Amino acid sequence: MATGVAILLFYRAGVASPVLPFLLCVVLAFAFVLAAEIYATVRKRREKRESYIRTFGSVDELRQVIDGPGLRRIRDEEGLLSAVREIRRQYPGMPIDMAATLIKES
């Protein structure tokens, strides 16, 4: 349907090639799918973060639950990335920015 409308619009504009309207439709379809995927990803991250905030209330409450000395030891010996991996292993689904904040502030 959209291809037919695009072809009619381009023929009226003096474009004789049916390839251009088809390419336009393909590009628009790709852009629509890409925008939908980005929206879904952002929404999923936001819901995951809100879930953790509902569960623990705040970063301070989460800080009381985690093993602070153990994570500090891992951070000092193996680095920040290893400590973030460890906290995310202990609490699957934790947003990475929350995990990094906890490790940096502990």
Side-chain angles (χ1 to χ4, degrees):
M1 174 77 180
T3 305
V5 171
I7 288 173
L8 288 175
L9 288 175
F10 276 97
Y11 275 136
R12 287 194 176 190
V15 177
S17 174
V19 175
L20 189 59
F22 177 74
L23 288 177
L24 177 66
C25 290
V26 168
V27 168
L28 288 175
F30 179 76
F32 178 74
V33 170
L34 182 65
E37 187 65 31
I38 290 171
Y39 174 76
T41 302
V42 169
R43 184 172 159 218
K44 183 178 176 183
R45 284 183 187 170
R46 186 177 345 135
E47 287 175 356
K48 190 182 293 186
R49 182 175 185 80
E50 289 171 356
S51 168
Y52 262 85
I53 290 172
R54 276 193 308 273
T55 303
F56 293 104
S58 69
V59 175
D60 294 327
E61 290 181 23
L62 182 58
R63 190 175 289 123
Q64 293 172 359
V65 175
I66 64 170
D67 177 26
L71 291 172
R72 274 191 296 276
R73 182 186 54 76
I74 293 172
R75 181 190 66 194
D76 294 339
E77 292 176 3
E78 300 175 22
L80 180 68
L81 183 60
S82 296
V84 170
R85 280 191 198 130
E86 178 62 25
I87 196 170
R88 291 192 74 203
R89 187 189 62 75
Q90 292 176 6
Y91 298 95
M94 176 184 284
I96 195 162
D97 61 332
M98 287 182 81
T101 300
L102 285 169
I103 298 300
K104 287 177 184 176
E105 294 178 355
S106 65

